[in-house]
Amino acid sequence: MLIKRPADIRSSEITDKKLYLNRREFLGATAATTAAVATGVLGSAAFAEAATAAPHGRKLDNVKKSSFSTDEKPNKWEEITTYNNYYEFGTDKDSPSMLARNYKTEPWTVMIDGECNKKGNMPLEDILKGQALEERVYRHRCVEAWSMIIPWVGFPLADLIKKCEPTSKAKFIEFTTAYDTKQMPGLRSPVLHWPYVEGLRLDEAMHPLTILAVGLYGEVIPNQDGAPLRLVVPWKYGFKHIKAIQKIRFVEKQPLNTWQESASQEYGFYSNVNPTVDHPRWSQATERRIGEFLRRKTLMFNGYGDQVASMYAGMDLKRNY
Ligand code: MTE
């Protein structure tokens, strides 16, 4: 997304993606000895390490299938856990898979604050107690114009919101990621304003498609994908999907999300997937599905328009990007 000189980073990341994953598949498919040779050929010792997907985690019990799932084929575990954006663990796509490996996410509490009756620290176990979990296979579209299909495991954010009893003044929700300078090496870089913040309008947050994910492929969610608790809003660009949520605040005014704060001409609050509104530096009309060669057309609201378009009726989506 961003930073140093966004244009350069973006275009190279986008065009190299296929190549990047092919190299991983290549390494994964070869014996260790050949891999060592390959590393030499590719000229990067770090790359050999990056080729390791997340270790498999604890299996989650009683996960029900959801009718909200797409029947498109999910991306591979290796793709979903080695091609990440998580700047607290570095700005390269493979950095989170290496640098978040030992991130400690237990115990975990979420601080609930703002315009609600039930404020305070909620341990994650309490949030999950008695909570039904579902597998939601969702389309995932990054603003960088790549996409994946991801089999999340999670629960409706609406369930947690109801427990917090928002007051009538609560119009938006603000989410904040953990800020742990000891464990998150990326925080040393001023690439973004830390901690990472995101927000939703209350009706977006209450929408049945909006979930908090705690799992991937039926297992506990890997650190690089946002453990232990991560937002998933499938009709919005990936940067809304804030990871490692440690604070939830109900607010009256629209929150300032991190990406809008860093480059408001490029990233807005709504961030709905919209193939007719280009990013100032690249087209949003098409996307590269990780693992595929040919680009595909990007769908309005990432294909979830039937379910979500009515929330934006009458809004100018070119201005409210
Ligand atoms: N959350 C935090 N805390 N820090 C980040 O850097 N990156 C965002 C989002 N959530 C980010 C974050 C961006 S830009 C994207 S595209 C998605 O996470 C990527 O999610 P993925 O790595 O699971 O594909």
Side-chain angles (χ1 to χ4, degrees):
M1 321 231 338
L2 70 141
I3 354 177
K4 307 160 199 158
R5 295 217 308 147
D8 308 341
I9 298 172
R10 240 354 156 293
S11 55
S12 61
E13 282 180 353
I14 294 164
T15 46
D16 283 348
K17 179 159 322 155
K18 178 70 191 165
L19 179 62
Y20 171 99
L21 289 167
N22 277 348
R23 287 188 297 185
R24 271 164 177 61
E25 277 163 17
F26 169 64
L27 284 179
T30 51
T33 45
T34 347
V37 176
T39 305
V41 171
L42 294 167
S44 161
F47 178 71
E49 198 188 345
T52 318
H56 285 276
R58 183 170 53 81
K59 205 127 197 85
L60 294 165
D61 298 326
N62 299 322
V63 176
K64 304 261 178 328
K65 301 263 179 226
S66 164
S67 56
F68 288 119
S69 289
T70 169
D71 53 12
E72 290 167 83
K73 185 167 174 266
N75 279 85
K76 294 179 195 149
W77 173 269
E78 197 218 7
E79 292 165 331
I80 301 170
T81 65
T82 61
Y83 197 83
N84 300 102
N85 278 333
Y86 198 173
Y87 285 4
E88 287 87 339
F89 294 99
T91 54
D92 292 336
K93 292 286 181 283
D94 54 359
S95 296
S97 66
M98 297 182 282
L99 301 178
R101 213 172 271 172
N102 299 318
Y103 181 45
K104 197 170 168 289
T105 60
E106 276 178 23
W108 193 268
T109 53
V110 180
M111 142 88 108
I112 309 288
D113 203 3
E115 293 296 339
C116 64
N117 295 325
K118 298 278 157 80
K119 295 193 226 292
N121 283 319
M122 254 195 221
L124 185 58
E125 307 89 78
D126 291 358
I127 293 175
L128 294 177
K129 204 177 282 170
Q131 175 69 59
L133 293 181
E134 291 177 19
E135 181 176 76
R136 300 275 185 108
V137 185
Y138 277 166
R139 283 177 223 108
H140 179 56
R141 170 62 157 81
C142 179
V143 76
E144 295 164 339
W146 53 267
S147 65
M148 295 200 205
I149 301 293
I150 306 192
W152 301 112
V153 175
F155 60 92
L157 172 59
D159 289 358
L160 177 57
I161 292 177
K162 285 176 205 150
K163 283 187 196 162
C164 302
E165 299 178 11
T167 69
S168 59
K169 281 191 175 162
K171 303 281 185 269
F172 296 87
I173 303 197
E174 180 189 84
F175 305 86
T176 307
T177 293
Y179 178 81
D180 186 335
T181 48
K182 290 211 178 75
Q183 295 198 78
M184 295 171 151
L187 297 179
R188 281 182 229 129
S189 154
V191 68
L192 289 176
H193 246 187
W194 308 112
Y196 198 99
V197 170
E198 257 310 336
L200 291 175
R201 225 168 53 187
L202 197 60
D203 58 337
E204 298 177 317
M206 293 291 291
H207 193 281
L209 284 173
T210 305
I211 59 166
L212 288 171
V214 294
L216 175 69
Y217 266 113
E219 300 176 11
V220 169
I221 191 168
N223 288 346
Q224 54 264 52
D225 292 284
L229 194 66
R230 172 243 172 91
L231 182 67
V232 179
V233 199
W235 69 94
K236 291 181 181 285
Y237 291 121
F239 67 87
K240 299 299 283 183
H241 301 204
I242 184 169
K243 299 178 174 184
I245 297 168
Q246 208 161 58
K247 195 161 153 193
I248 293 183
R249 208 157 65 95
F250 294 88
V251 293
E252 217 175 335
K253 299 221 169 71
Q254 184 175 301
L256 180 60
N257 48 314
T258 294
W259 279 104
Q260 188 176 22
E261 184 181 22
S262 88
S264 59
Q265 68 291 357
E266 304 196 352
Y267 307 108
F269 175 77
Y270 282 95
S271 317
N272 292 321
V273 175
N274 187 341
T276 70
V277 178
D278 287 341
H279 185 279
R281 287 178 288 114
W282 61 85
S283 165
Q284 293 291 16
T286 65
E287 66 201 52
R288 185 189 304 284
R289 176 72 49 83
I290 299 300
E292 292 180 355
F293 268 116
L294 296 177
R295 298 184 73 82
R296 47 168 77 215
K297 282 199 169 146
T298 287
L299 303 173
M300 188 64 199
F301 295 114
N302 206 19
Y304 297 96
D306 287 355
Q307 294 147 89
V308 304
S310 61
M311 284 194 290
Y312 310 102
M315 268 176 77
D316 179 347
L317 296 178
K318 288 208 158 64
R319 285 187 47 176
N320 296 285
Y321 55 88

